[in-house]
Amino acid sequence: MRFISCFVITFLLISNSVYAQKSLRLKKLVAKKSAISSTIPLSVVEIPTGTFIMGDENDTSSVTKKERVKPVLISGFYISQTEITNAQYREFVHWVRDSIAARILGGEYIKINGSDTAVNWKLASKINYNNPQIIEILGDFFIDPSRSVDNKRSIDPKRLVYLMHGFNYLEAAKKENRDRNPTEFIYKYEIPIYPDTLCWLRDFGYSNNEHMAVNYFSSPKYQNFPVVGVSWNQANAFCDWITKQKIYPYQIKNKLSQGGRCRLPTEAEWLYAASLDERTAQANAKAAKKKKDTSEEQPARIFPVNVYEGQKGNIGLYNMTDNVSEWVLTSYYEGGENFQNRFNPDIQIGTPTTQSRFQRRKVIRGGSWKDTPSMQTTSNRSYDDMDATHSYLGFRVVLNMPQ
């Protein structure tokens, strides 16, 4: 009996040590300054494997709604402590800018290894975009000053395009596709990645938001504020960039198991993380209680705030109920809760290149700075087209690392 007890204790110590090392590796990875350009750390919170009730337990208005409330099991993952910030997303934009410029310039800005070419980042990250010779070679990569509002030459945001390239495992796994050539499931498409800064003007008619449209993404004042004006497709591209340019190289360099990935959280993961957050739950209850007593309501926010100045939950997550609403990975499908799996539930229909409006809808979770206190809850749910952009909509990310 003593032997069994010692064995169990030893096993637990080893397991905890391995898990702690994995957690430490991940935190070093996301907090590490990029070799390309510096950025503020991407802090993560560990969410353990567990079960939670998905659905509104208090909604007993009908038998059907009561049956939709069910326990689901979620695998462990890491989720970013805050929404992705302007500074973090700007690093992605600058990487795309410099990689495209380096390939146009060629020469010493490109490394050639056999039939493969790669960007020489030691030089590409230092490209002087004010150099007349650089400007002349890059040509229409810049907007002509005569077409610029301030009559200055600047990079054309429309030229900042990220190539999404990968394999569609969901389609390949379908039984009806088992005899098809695997190459048929390789996808390639381009995503313009510069944020839609004019969403500040479109979202609120007859409102003076011009200063936000001009300054919010570009000004250092807002670098630690959540990035907005980013579509689901753009958020997905950011995750793909983190995976391929940070996680993959880190795993190869340190001879770690392959398979790490950055992505948007599924709706179930987002809700599970929120359910572990006691202060968020308390905030939801408090907000619901205030519905009938407006005199107790706190002053409404005007615009987003610094991601670390908002409400912090018990497990360390910020702003799950307010600041900005957040894209999740899951597709919006009426009645989807009736057939989705109870193990890591998620619904994916269509692809980013589909033209079907029905298949392009993605779920949005949480309240935002524009919402009334009664709507600033984790139960706030909506959807929009995967190319939609809003001044009150951002995202956070999930990171998975293999053992």
Side-chain angles (χ1 to χ4, degrees), residues 13 17 33 52 68 72-73 89 144 169 179 183 187 193 225 266 287 313 326 335 338 341-342 347 350 388:
L13 287 173
S17 176
K33 285 190 175 182
F52 83 111
R68 290 176 181 173
V72 297
L73 177 65
Y89 193 83
D144 189 284
Y169 287 94
D179 295 325
T183 58
Y187 60 82
I193 52 89
F225 285 55
T266 66
E326 300 174 16
N338 293 321
N341 202 299
R342 293 196 177 191
I347 296 176

Side-chain angles (χ1 to χ4, degrees), residues 124-397:
S125 61
K126 299 176 182 178
I127 294 175
N128 181 1
Y129 292 98
N130 294 316
N131 185 317
Q133 291 181 327
I134 297 292
I135 292 174
E136 183 178 357
I137 297 173
L138 292 180
D140 61 3
F141 193 60
F142 291 90
I143 296 176
D144 189 284
S146 63
R147 296 177 54 223
S148 172
V149 175
D150 56 6
N151 203 36
K152 293 181 180 179
R153 192 181 301 275
S154 59
I155 303 292
D156 186 352
K158 294 180 180 178
R159 293 293 305 273
L160 301 179
V161 176
Y162 181 80
L163 177 64
M164 293 288 288
H165 181 202
F167 187 83
N168 191 332
Y169 287 94
L170 289 176
E171 283 297 311
K174 293 180 179 178
K175 289 184 178 179
E176 61 267 29
N177 293 331
R178 60 188 173 188
D179 295 325
R180 292 174 60 183
N181 190 319
T183 58
E184 296 181 47
F185 304 107
I186 295 174
Y187 60 82
K188 285 184 180 181
Y189 58 92
E190 295 182 337
I191 299 291
I193 52 89
Y194 199 84
D196 176 16
T197 56
L198 296 179
C199 66
W200 286 101
L201 303 175
R202 280 194 297 272
D203 284 341
F204 307 101
Y206 304 101
S207 180
N208 183 18
N209 286 333
E210 183 178 325
H211 61 294
M212 297 298 283
V214 173
N215 297 314
Y216 186 76
F217 182 66
S218 58
S219 172
K221 173 184 177 181
Y222 298 107
Q223 68 172 353
N224 293 337
F225 285 55
V227 65
V228 298
V230 173
S231 70
W232 182 93
N233 275 324
Q234 290 173 320
N236 200 35
F238 175 87
C239 293
D240 188 77
W241 171 72
I242 290 281
T243 299
K244 293 176 179 175
Q245 301 303 324
K246 294 201 172 190
I247 295 178
Y248 285 176
Y250 181 84
Q251 290 179 150
I252 293 170
K253 181 180 178 180
N254 293 280
K255 299 180 180 179
L256 302 174
S257 299
Q258 302 298 297
R261 186 186 175 199
C262 173
R263 57 175 173 78
L264 292 173
T266 66
E267 182 175 20
E269 288 172 335
W270 194 96
L271 286 170
Y272 175 47
S275 74
L276 296 177
D277 211 326
E278 290 181 11
R279 294 186 193 177
T280 298
Q282 291 171 2
N284 289 343
K286 190 176 181 181
K289 188 177 179 181
K290 286 182 179 179
K291 286 182 182 179
K292 297 181 181 180
D293 188 0
T294 55
S295 63
E296 293 183 13
E297 290 181 0
Q298 295 178 354
R301 285 182 178 176
I302 299 180
F303 308 128
V305 299
N306 184 306
V307 293
Y308 287 112
E309 288 181 3
Q311 185 183 71
K312 183 180 181 181
N314 195 44
I315 62 172
L317 297 177
Y318 286 85
N319 303 313
M320 293 292 280
T321 60
D322 51 12
N323 213 18
V324 293
S325 297
E326 300 174 16
W327 287 114
V328 296
L329 190 65
T330 307
S331 295
Y332 181 82
Y333 190 96
E334 292 92 341
E337 62 273 14
N338 293 321
F339 60 80
Q340 66 184 2
N341 202 299
R342 293 196 177 191
F343 172 66
N344 289 333
D346 186 41
I347 296 176
Q348 293 296 322
I349 55 176
T351 65
T353 57
T354 186
Q355 297 302 310
S356 168
R357 295 178 67 179
F358 169 77
Q359 295 182 350
R360 293 179 59 82
R361 300 181 301 179
K362 293 294 182 178
V363 174
I364 297 168
R365 271 292 181 175
S368 73
W369 59 268
K370 73 170 182 60
D371 294 318
T372 60
S374 63
M375 294 295 291
Q376 292 181 347
T377 69
T378 55
S379 59
N380 192 338
R381 183 180 193 248
S382 59
Y383 68 88
D384 212 329
D385 185 275
M386 59 176 68
D387 274 332
T389 57
H390 295 288
S391 59
Y392 48 83
L393 178 56
F395 68 102
R396 71 180 70 219
V397 300

Side-chain angles (χ1 to χ4, degrees), residues 12-123:
L12 289 173
L13 287 173
I14 293 173
S15 299
N16 290 337
S17 176
V18 170
Y19 204 77
Q21 289 176 7
K22 175 185 172 185
S23 174
L24 183 61
R25 284 201 308 267
L26 180 60
K27 290 179 179 179
K28 282 183 177 179
L29 166 65
V30 296
K32 179 178 179 291
K33 285 190 175 182
S34 170
I36 300 163
S37 61
S38 62
T39 184
I40 62 174
L42 173 60
S43 300
V44 293
V45 172
E46 180 184 338
I47 306 297
T49 298
T51 302
F52 83 111
I53 302 297
M54 190 169 177
D56 187 355
E57 295 180 85
N58 298 317
D59 189 352
T60 57
S61 57
S62 70
V63 175
T64 303
K65 287 187 177 181
K66 191 173 181 180
E67 289 176 347
R68 290 176 181 173
V69 177
K70 57 188 178 184
V72 297
L73 177 65
I74 306 294
S75 300
F77 58 93
Y78 292 86
I79 189 168
S80 59
Q81 190 176 32
T82 70
E83 304 103 341
I84 296 302
T85 65
N86 283 321
Q88 291 162 345
Y89 193 83
R90 194 180 301 118
E91 183 187 1
F92 172 45
V93 171
H94 288 173
W95 183 92
V96 172
R97 176 199 65 187
D98 295 343
S99 62
I100 294 174
R103 294 184 183 280
I104 295 174
L105 293 171
E108 61 182 352
Y109 293 98
I110 296 295
K111 292 180 179 179
I112 300 176
N113 184 12
S115 59
D116 295 331
T117 60
V119 173
N120 180 353
W121 283 107
K122 287 185 178 180
L123 296 179

